[in-house]
mmCIF file of all heavy atoms in Angstrom:
data_model
loop_
_atom_site.group_PDB
_atom_site.id
_atom_site.type_symbol
_atom_site.label_atom_id
_atom_site.label_comp_id
_atom_site.label_asym_id
_atom_site.label_seq_id
_atom_site.Cartn_x
_atom_site.Cartn_y
_atom_site.Cartn_z
ATOM 1 N N ARG A 52 -11.298 2.742 39.147
ATOM 2 C CA ARG A 52 -11.135 1.491 39.863
ATOM 3 C C ARG A 52 -12.412 0.633 39.819
ATOM 4 O O ARG A 52 -12.424 -0.482 40.310
ATOM 5 C CB ARG A 52 -10.722 1.772 41.290
ATOM 6 C CG ARG A 52 -9.243 2.252 41.340
ATOM 7 C CD ARG A 52 -8.747 2.437 42.755
ATOM 8 N NE ARG A 52 -9.382 3.594 43.409
ATOM 9 C CZ ARG A 52 -8.917 4.165 44.494
ATOM 10 N NH1 ARG A 52 -7.796 3.681 45.024
ATOM 11 N NH2 ARG A 52 -9.506 5.172 45.047
ATOM 12 N N THR A 53 -13.549 1.171 39.278
ATOM 13 C CA THR A 53 -14.749 0.356 39.038
ATOM 14 C C THR A 53 -14.691 -0.351 37.742
ATOM 15 O O THR A 53 -15.506 -1.233 37.439
ATOM 16 C CB THR A 53 -15.997 1.252 39.072
ATOM 17 O OG1 THR A 53 -15.971 2.099 37.956
ATOM 18 C CG2 THR A 53 -16.138 2.019 40.351
ATOM 19 N N LEU A 54 -13.688 0.008 36.870
ATOM 20 C CA LEU A 54 -13.649 -0.564 35.513
ATOM 21 C C LEU A 54 -12.874 -1.887 35.557
ATOM 22 O O LEU A 54 -12.173 -2.209 36.514
ATOM 23 C CB LEU A 54 -12.925 0.417 34.560
ATOM 24 C CG LEU A 54 -13.484 1.814 34.453
ATOM 25 C CD1 LEU A 54 -12.557 2.642 33.626
ATOM 26 C CD2 LEU A 54 -14.896 1.755 33.865
ATOM 27 N N LYS A 55 -12.962 -2.652 34.439
ATOM 28 C CA LYS A 55 -12.159 -3.821 34.315
ATOM 29 C C LYS A 55 -10.770 -3.365 33.857
ATOM 30 O O LYS A 55 -10.457 -3.324 32.637
ATOM 31 C CB LYS A 55 -12.770 -4.797 33.320
ATOM 32 C CG LYS A 55 -12.117 -6.160 33.455
ATOM 33 C CD LYS A 55 -12.887 -7.229 32.805
ATOM 34 C CE LYS A 55 -12.145 -8.568 33.036
ATOM 35 N NZ LYS A 55 -12.286 -9.489 31.940
ATOM 36 N N LEU A 56 -9.992 -2.907 34.802
ATOM 37 C CA LEU A 56 -8.691 -2.250 34.498
ATOM 38 C C LEU A 56 -7.641 -3.322 34.551
ATOM 39 O O LEU A 56 -7.180 -3.803 35.603
ATOM 40 C CB LEU A 56 -8.440 -1.250 35.633
ATOM 41 C CG LEU A 56 -7.401 -0.139 35.426
ATOM 42 C CD1 LEU A 56 -7.632 0.648 34.139
ATOM 43 C CD2 LEU A 56 -7.389 0.813 36.641
ATOM 44 N N VAL A 57 -7.249 -3.809 33.368
ATOM 45 C CA VAL A 57 -6.299 -4.954 33.260
ATOM 46 C C VAL A 57 -4.847 -4.507 33.326
ATOM 47 O O VAL A 57 -3.936 -5.331 33.425
ATOM 48 C CB VAL A 57 -6.574 -5.798 32.043
ATOM 49 C CG1 VAL A 57 -7.913 -6.552 32.178
ATOM 50 C CG2 VAL A 57 -6.546 -4.958 30.762
ATOM 51 N N CYS A 58 -4.620 -3.209 33.150
ATOM 52 C CA CYS A 58 -3.257 -2.710 33.089
ATOM 53 C C CYS A 58 -3.280 -1.222 33.455
ATOM 54 O O CYS A 58 -4.091 -0.439 32.968
ATOM 55 C CB CYS A 58 -2.682 -2.891 31.688
ATOM 56 S SG CYS A 58 -1.104 -2.143 31.395
ATOM 57 N N ALA A 59 -2.470 -0.833 34.477
ATOM 58 C CA ALA A 59 -2.433 0.566 34.823
ATOM 59 C C ALA A 59 -0.952 0.884 35.239
ATOM 60 O O ALA A 59 -0.400 0.215 36.087
ATOM 61 C CB ALA A 59 -3.348 0.845 36.038
ATOM 62 N N VAL A 60 -0.373 1.871 34.566
ATOM 63 C CA VAL A 60 0.975 2.248 34.898
ATOM 64 C C VAL A 60 0.996 3.659 35.580
ATOM 65 O O VAL A 60 -0.016 4.353 35.482
ATOM 66 C CB VAL A 60 1.906 2.265 33.626
ATOM 67 C CG1 VAL A 60 2.095 0.843 33.146
ATOM 68 C CG2 VAL A 60 1.364 3.173 32.546
ATOM 69 N N LYS A 61 2.102 3.985 36.125
ATOM 70 C CA LYS A 61 2.230 5.234 36.929
ATOM 71 C C LYS A 61 2.669 6.400 36.070
ATOM 72 O O LYS A 61 3.586 6.277 35.264
ATOM 73 C CB LYS A 61 3.209 5.012 38.048
ATOM 74 C CG LYS A 61 3.244 6.085 39.116
ATOM 75 C CD LYS A 61 4.412 5.915 40.061
ATOM 76 C CE LYS A 61 4.150 4.793 41.056
ATOM 77 N NZ LYS A 61 5.238 4.634 41.980
ATOM 78 N N GLY A 62 2.017 7.558 36.259
ATOM 79 C CA GLY A 62 2.454 8.768 35.657
ATOM 80 C C GLY A 62 3.243 9.628 36.640
ATOM 81 O O GLY A 62 3.252 9.326 37.891
ATOM 82 N N ASN A 63 3.868 10.698 36.142
ATOM 83 C CA ASN A 63 4.641 11.580 37.052
ATOM 84 C C ASN A 63 3.775 12.238 38.090
ATOM 85 O O ASN A 63 4.183 12.392 39.256
ATOM 86 C CB ASN A 63 5.508 12.564 36.284
ATOM 87 C CG ASN A 63 4.768 13.302 35.242
ATOM 88 O OD1 ASN A 63 3.817 12.770 34.625
ATOM 89 N ND2 ASN A 63 5.180 14.547 34.913
ATOM 90 N N HIS A 64 2.565 12.651 37.712
ATOM 91 C CA HIS A 64 1.686 13.312 38.690
ATOM 92 C C HIS A 64 1.246 12.258 39.738
ATOM 93 O O HIS A 64 1.155 12.638 40.910
ATOM 94 C CB HIS A 64 0.453 13.923 38.007
ATOM 95 C CG HIS A 64 0.811 15.192 37.289
ATOM 96 N ND1 HIS A 64 0.428 16.414 37.731
ATOM 97 C CD2 HIS A 64 1.509 15.423 36.162
ATOM 98 C CE1 HIS A 64 0.927 17.349 36.915
ATOM 99 N NE2 HIS A 64 1.575 16.754 35.964
ATOM 100 N N ASP A 65 0.910 11.059 39.291
ATOM 101 C CA ASP A 65 0.568 10.034 40.261
ATOM 102 C C ASP A 65 1.696 9.821 41.264
ATOM 103 O O ASP A 65 1.466 9.718 42.475
ATOM 104 C CB ASP A 65 0.344 8.678 39.537
ATOM 105 C CG ASP A 65 -0.713 8.751 38.457
ATOM 106 O OD1 ASP A 65 -1.688 9.507 38.623
ATOM 107 O OD2 ASP A 65 -0.578 8.048 37.441
ATOM 108 N N GLU A 66 2.918 9.819 40.762
ATOM 109 C CA GLU A 66 4.068 9.599 41.633
ATOM 110 C C GLU A 66 4.243 10.745 42.635
ATOM 111 O O GLU A 66 4.418 10.514 43.808
ATOM 112 C CB GLU A 66 5.353 9.470 40.792
ATOM 113 C CG GLU A 66 6.576 9.492 41.663
ATOM 114 C CD GLU A 66 7.699 8.667 41.134
ATOM 115 O OE1 GLU A 66 7.563 7.455 41.033
ATOM 116 O OE2 GLU A 66 8.717 9.259 40.712
ATOM 117 N N TYR A 67 4.094 11.973 42.157
ATOM 118 C CA TYR A 67 4.306 13.121 43.072
ATOM 119 C C TYR A 67 3.144 13.245 44.063
ATOM 120 O O TYR A 67 3.384 13.602 45.197
ATOM 121 C CB TYR A 67 4.466 14.379 42.282
ATOM 122 C CG TYR A 67 5.767 14.404 41.437
ATOM 123 C CD1 TYR A 67 5.845 14.844 40.137
ATOM 124 C CD2 TYR A 67 6.921 13.912 41.989
ATOM 125 C CE1 TYR A 67 6.962 14.853 39.374
ATOM 126 C CE2 TYR A 67 8.123 13.863 41.253
ATOM 127 C CZ TYR A 67 8.117 14.330 39.957
ATOM 128 O OH TYR A 67 9.265 14.303 39.245
ATOM 129 N N VAL A 68 1.942 12.963 43.633
ATOM 130 C CA VAL A 68 0.799 13.003 44.505
ATOM 131 C C VAL A 68 0.914 11.917 45.627
ATOM 132 O O VAL A 68 0.515 12.120 46.731
ATOM 133 C CB VAL A 68 -0.526 12.902 43.738
ATOM 134 C CG1 VAL A 68 -1.705 12.538 44.614
ATOM 135 C CG2 VAL A 68 -0.808 14.139 42.991
ATOM 136 N N ALA A 69 1.456 10.802 45.191
ATOM 137 C CA ALA A 69 1.617 9.686 46.148
ATOM 138 C C ALA A 69 2.776 9.888 47.133
ATOM 139 O O ALA A 69 2.814 9.295 48.190
ATOM 140 C CB ALA A 69 1.842 8.347 45.391
ATOM 141 N N GLY A 70 3.754 10.724 46.711
ATOM 142 C CA GLY A 70 4.967 10.854 47.515
ATOM 143 C C GLY A 70 4.980 12.019 48.499
ATOM 144 O O GLY A 70 3.943 12.634 48.744
ATOM 145 N N ALA A 71 6.157 12.362 48.952
ATOM 146 C CA ALA A 71 6.314 13.406 49.963
ATOM 147 C C ALA A 71 6.326 14.753 49.235
ATOM 148 O O ALA A 71 6.706 14.839 48.072
ATOM 149 C CB ALA A 71 7.638 13.227 50.753
ATOM 150 N N ASP A 72 5.931 15.847 49.975
ATOM 151 C CA ASP A 72 5.861 17.163 49.416
ATOM 152 C C ASP A 72 7.184 17.656 48.792
ATOM 153 O O ASP A 72 7.204 18.288 47.757
ATOM 154 C CB ASP A 72 5.437 18.196 50.454
ATOM 155 C CG ASP A 72 3.897 18.051 50.650
ATOM 156 O OD1 ASP A 72 3.238 17.537 49.802
ATOM 157 O OD2 ASP A 72 3.450 18.625 51.701
ATOM 158 N N ASN A 73 8.257 17.354 49.486
ATOM 159 C CA ASN A 73 9.570 17.822 49.007
ATOM 160 C C ASN A 73 10.084 17.091 47.794
ATOM 161 O O ASN A 73 11.127 17.422 47.286
ATOM 162 C CB ASN A 73 10.585 17.831 50.130
ATOM 163 C CG ASN A 73 10.727 16.428 50.725
ATOM 164 O OD1 ASN A 73 10.263 15.450 50.151
ATOM 165 N ND2 ASN A 73 11.454 16.304 51.841
ATOM 166 N N ALA A 74 9.319 16.072 47.316
ATOM 167 C CA ALA A 74 9.834 15.297 46.198
ATOM 168 C C ALA A 74 9.323 15.845 44.826
ATOM 169 O O ALA A 74 9.536 15.250 43.766
ATOM 170 C CB ALA A 74 9.344 13.845 46.294
ATOM 171 N N ILE A 75 8.636 17.007 44.810
ATOM 172 C CA ILE A 75 8.122 17.577 43.567
ATOM 173 C C ILE A 75 9.236 18.338 42.865
ATOM 174 O O ILE A 75 9.507 19.489 43.210
ATOM 175 C CB ILE A 75 6.955 18.494 43.841
ATOM 176 C CG1 ILE A 75 5.888 17.793 44.701
ATOM 177 C CG2 ILE A 75 6.267 18.909 42.502
ATOM 178 C CD1 ILE A 75 4.810 18.768 45.205
ATOM 179 N N GLU A 76 9.838 17.703 41.911
ATOM 180 C CA GLU A 76 10.967 18.344 41.218
ATOM 181 C C GLU A 76 10.548 18.671 39.774
ATOM 182 O O GLU A 76 9.813 17.826 39.134
ATOM 183 C CB GLU A 76 12.190 17.394 41.148
ATOM 184 C CG GLU A 76 12.907 17.345 42.483
ATOM 185 C CD GLU A 76 13.827 16.142 42.476
ATOM 186 O OE1 GLU A 76 14.214 15.637 41.454
ATOM 187 O OE2 GLU A 76 14.165 15.708 43.618
ATOM 188 N N GLY A 77 11.067 19.690 39.197
ATOM 189 C CA GLY A 77 10.914 19.992 37.778
ATOM 190 C C GLY A 77 9.483 20.342 37.377
ATOM 191 O O GLY A 77 9.178 20.280 36.201
#
Side-chain angles (χ1 to χ4, degrees):
R52 290 184 290 195
T53 65
L54 304 174
K55 196 166 181 213
L56 197 55
V57 290
C58 172
V60 293
K61 191 189 285 183
N63 48 329
H64 285 253
D65 303 325
E66 171 149 293
Y67 293 137
V68 164
D72 281 343
N73 58 10
I75 310 169
E76 286 165 21

